[in-house]
Amino acid sequence: MGSNGINSSTDAYRVLEAPIGQARHLRIITVGAGAAGLNFAHQINRHMQNITHVVYEKNPEVGGTWYENRYPGCACDIPSHSYQFTWEPNPHWNKFYSTAPEILQYFIGIAKKYDLYKFIKLNHQVVRAEWQESEGIWRLGIKDLKSGIIIEDWCDFMISGSGILNNWKWPNIPGLQSFKGERLHSAAWDAEAIWSAKTVAVIGNGSSGVQIVPTIQPDVKELITFLRSPTWITAGFAQSKAGPNGANFNFSDERKREFEENPGIYLKYRKEIENELNTRFKFILKDSQEQADAVKFSTKDVKAKLGEKNPLLKYFLPDFSVGCRRTTPGNGYLEALTERNVRAITESITEIVPEGIKVDSGEIVKVDMLVCATGFDVSFCPRYPVIGQNGILLSQQWKVKPEAYLTMAVPNFPNHFMFLGPNAPIGHGSVLPILEHSAKYILRMIHKCQTERIKSVVAKWDAVADFVEHINTFMTRTAWSTHCRSWFKNGKIDGPITALHPGSRIHWFHMLDQPRFEDYKWTTSDKNRFAFLGNGFSTREGEGRDLAYYFDNPDAGFESIRY
């Protein structure tokens, strides 16, 4: 008889000598120590038992996107008191919209406070992952970036926490490498870069471009901004709590002290902001009154800042719905475009030449520094090969379109979950509560495998097909489906929409409350699916346990059917 209590020499069934509820040991590897990885490490440490958890992070510090993005003006356009974990509220934020360095320090502070570095291997980059069907494990290759050595590791569950806006890319413009001046990407900024008294070109008018332009404008000799796509510049998120006209502002020492000393007041303030963010989804419905109001408000605001006769108006009053591209709060951006040392060019770029940028008219715009605020690879495919069942590559399976089950699981890839996969609610408000809800769902799945002796779990194709059909049908009623080029559609004009959830944030949270276990294929470690029932006892009746616990709360268990 084997050590697990099941006869290993015959097919005869034997009772497992263990109580029901006993958690078998599992090894989990998480890729990435950004917000997702840190939250996941904290939740495992706090709520799970008998887990070995390793987090591999390619950077020399935690923080993910907030470690990597250091461009001038880099900040979060979600209010600080919403862009934080619910389990670690910070009453000491300096600004209503926090800058990147302060957000990074928040995450570093969490890693230190909760001793999460003991799970994290910095300067280690995953370069390969392959599922082993017979063993029911993942085998990974990890490169130690200090030594260059490739090491091997394995896990029962592999979790991708590397983020959606992580793999930055240069724009596909002919001659880019020929430029003789200084060339920078917003997501790989050189801290030593000097732009003062230079002629600087900024390509791109998405979130990072909108932050860079007003930040460097006062210092440059001339700023040339190339507007690649029409876009709406909107008011800041949680406008009612922001400063005049949606401006950022500093919290006073008195206000921070009040938040610290009065948790009830602070919670009320945080919930007011979150409530406001959670009402925004209504304007995404393209035929709604809220959409009409958003168009009216943004039109009035843009005209007031640019001037009624500014030729750029047609570029900032597009014919697609507000929200088709990610709404871009741009405090100071439109005003910067009216400054005397700023030139906005809407002609298409034909090529980059050694001395600058050539446009459709044939003009060569000479510049000293070229800033590409041109975004990321949003194909959702990891940078490294992920090989699932029957040797299928995730990048090949997603070559035409990335499709996942409830954003987190993919057919052919057992025991693999991801944060912020295809069709997550990433355009709906603060991403941190989204990560928290994802982690709860994933850990419920893992806990079921751990306590019911399940070897592997994988999403079913028919469940994904139905989910995708619902997404595609629902999205026709949204602003996202209108005629614009957007990273929500992987850079395409007319879909499909691969980056957003078909509903509000609350809708998504509600969807994850109860896992639909029937949408997965489960493979047990034992021939008898009920082997986990064990020796007739429960982990709930150990020494000193309350054996009448069900008297305490007669309503326990009904939570999930309340609305």
Side-chain angles (χ1 to χ4, degrees):
M1 187 169 68
S3 60
N4 60 2
I6 297 176
N7 196 311
S8 57
S9 60
T10 73
D11 290 334
Y13 175 72
R14 300 284 185 89
V15 168
L16 176 69
E17 295 301 335
I20 185 175
Q22 180 169 289
R24 68 184 177 96
H25 176 264
L26 291 178
R27 183 175 178 83
I28 298 175
I29 288 178
T30 298
V31 183
L38 292 174
N39 174 68
F40 200 60
H42 172 69
Q43 302 299 0
I44 288 178
N45 195 40
R46 183 177 180 188
H47 298 290
M48 302 290 281
Q49 297 179 1
N50 211 12
I51 297 284
T52 297
H53 186 209
V54 181
V55 183
Y56 286 110
E57 169 55 57
K58 69 182 187 302
N59 291 323
E61 185 52 275
V62 302
T65 189
W66 298 108
Y67 173 83
E68 295 177 0
N69 284 271
R70 305 178 180 193
Y71 60 81
C74 184
C76 187
D77 54 20
I78 297 294
S80 307
H81 296 289
S82 181
Y83 198 84
Q84 59 181 350
F85 291 124
T86 58
W87 48 269
E88 185 61 18
N90 173 24
H92 303 292
W93 292 109
N94 289 314
K95 294 178 178 293
F96 187 72
Y97 301 111
S98 289
T99 61
E102 187 172 12
I103 297 171
L104 175 60
Q105 288 307 311
Y106 173 75
F107 289 126
I108 291 174
I110 283 174
K112 291 178 179 177
K113 178 178 177 179
Y114 293 98
D115 196 21
L116 301 182
Y117 283 106
K118 65 185 178 184
F119 306 113
I120 301 167
K121 292 185 180 295
L122 300 171
N123 297 300
H124 281 73
Q125 184 171 25
V126 175
V127 296
R128 177 183 174 86
E130 184 168 4
W131 172 251
Q132 309 293 308
E133 185 74 28
S134 60
E135 299 172 82
I137 63 172
W138 285 92
R139 293 199 180 277
L140 290 84
I142 298 100
K143 184 176 184 179
D144 183 332
L145 296 180
K146 288 187 174 180
S147 68
I149 296 173
I150 305 293
I151 61 175
E152 301 295 324
D153 203 348
W154 69 275
C155 60
D156 297 287
F157 284 85
M158 182 175 74
I159 312 298
S160 175
S162 52
I164 178 175
L165 299 180
N166 176 266
N167 191 9
W168 63 271
K169 62 179 182 178
W170 291 109
N172 186 22
I173 302 174
L176 183 64
Q177 303 295 330
S178 71
F179 181 63
K180 298 299 184 183
E182 188 170 9
R183 179 166 52 93
L184 299 165
H185 193 284
S186 57
W189 196 264
D190 181 356
E192 304 299 320
I194 298 174
W195 55 86
S196 61
K198 292 181 179 179
T199 299
V200 180
V202 177
I203 300 176
N205 59 330
S207 297
S208 54
V210 164
Q211 291 181 337
I212 290 170
V213 165
T215 304
I216 69 173
Q217 175 270 320
D219 301 318
V220 300
K221 177 182 177 182
E222 185 179 12
L223 193 152
I224 316 292
T225 179
F226 291 84
L227 309 178
R228 300 200 306 165
S229 301
T231 192
W232 288 97
I233 302 296
T234 63
F237 296 102
Q239 183 81 348
S240 70
K241 297 290 185 182
N245 299 315
N248 202 1
F249 67 88
N250 294 325
F251 287 101
S252 67
D253 291 339
E254 290 76 18
R255 186 64 158 156
K256 287 186 278 189
R257 191 178 307 113
E258 179 186 34
F259 286 155
E260 181 179 23
E261 295 176 355
N262 298 275
I265 291 175
Y266 185 37
L267 177 62
K268 180 175 181 292
Y269 179 79
R270 291 164 51 210
K271 292 189 70 171
E272 286 172 352
I273 292 174
E274 193 77 355
N275 270 300
E276 185 170 336
L277 291 176
N278 282 336
T279 63
R280 297 181 69 255
F281 182 73
K282 293 177 183 177
F283 93 85
I284 289 297
L285 302 177
K286 64 184 180 183
D287 297 324
S288 65
Q289 181 60 48
E290 288 80 4
Q291 172 65 210
D293 291 343
V295 170
K296 182 178 179 181
F297 178 89
S298 295
T299 299
K300 181 180 178 181
D301 191 51
V302 168
K303 286 182 176 181
K305 291 176 178 177
L306 286 181
E308 292 279 351
K309 298 181 179 180
N310 193 312
L312 290 177
L313 278 179
K314 63 181 180 181
Y315 217 71
F316 292 104
L317 298 176
D319 58 4
F320 50 78
S321 298
V322 176
C324 181
R325 299 180 71 195
R326 185 185 188 276
T327 51
T328 308
N331 293 328
Y333 174 69
L334 294 174
E335 295 88 334
L337 297 184
T338 66
E339 295 293 336
R340 299 179 67 176
N341 67 335
V342 176
R343 178 187 176 190
I345 296 179
T346 58
E347 287 185 71
S348 296
I349 297 172
T350 58
E351 64 176 314
I352 305 294
V353 296
E355 64 271 31
I357 302 167
K358 187 176 182 179
V359 295
D360 268 345
S361 65
E363 178 189 2
I364 294 177
V365 182
K366 295 182 178 181
V367 298
D368 305 311
M369 177 182 286
L370 174 58
V371 175
C372 296
T374 48
F376 302 82
D377 177 349
V378 288
S379 66
F380 291 93
C381 291
R383 302 184 190 191
Y384 52 92
V386 179
I387 305 166
Q389 293 173 314
N390 302 312
I392 186 71
L393 272 167
L394 182 58
S395 58
Q396 186 64 33
Q397 183 165 310
W398 280 357
K399 185 176 182 180
V400 175
K401 180 188 175 189
E403 296 179 342
Y405 177 74
L406 307 189
T407 81
M408 288 178 284
V410 187
N412 288 328
F413 295 84
N415 294 14
H416 175 247
F417 293 98
M418 66 189 71
F419 290 100
L420 306 182
N423 296 107
I426 54 174
H428 299 52
S430 173
V431 74
L432 299 195
I434 293 167
L435 296 176
E436 291 185 51
H437 280 75
S438 300
K440 291 174 185 177
Y441 181 96
I442 293 169
L443 288 179
R444 280 198 293 269
M445 296 291 290
I446 292 175
H447 184 257
K448 178 178 173 69
C449 294
Q450 191 180 24
T451 56
E452 297 183 19
R453 296 181 58 80
I454 292 166
K455 179 180 179 181
S456 67
V457 56
V458 64
K460 295 179 180 178
W461 272 113
D462 59 347
V464 174
D466 283 351
F467 184 52
V468 170
E469 181 182 37
H470 175 77
I471 292 169
N472 293 341
T473 304
F474 179 89
M475 288 302 186
T476 60
R477 47 175 89 181
T478 69
W480 303 319
S481 68
T482 56
H483 194 72
C484 75
R485 188 179 303 279
S486 168
W487 69 265
F488 294 159
K489 309 168 189 174
N490 201 9
K492 299 176 183 178
I493 293 176
D494 290 314
I497 299 163
T498 57
L500 295 164
H501 174 69
S504 67
R505 290 172 90 218
I506 301 300
H507 179 271
W508 193 75
F509 296 158
H510 192 159
M511 179 184 74
L512 298 187
D513 278 349
Q514 294 296 317
R516 289 174 50 86
F517 296 134
E518 64 269 31
D519 292 340
Y520 292 88
K521 179 182 178 182
W522 305 83
T523 302
T524 60
S525 299
D526 309 297
K527 291 184 179 180
N528 187 316
R529 73 187 66 190
F530 290 110
F532 74 93
L533 293 179
N535 62 8
F537 290 92
S538 167
T539 54
R540 297 178 181 176
E541 52 188 316
E543 185 69 29
R545 300 293 295 270
D546 180 1
L547 303 187
Y549 62 90
Y550 41 88
F551 280 19
D552 294 339
N553 183 8
D555 289 329
F558 289 107
E559 295 86 358
S560 63
I561 62 174
R562 295 175 186 150
Y563 297 102

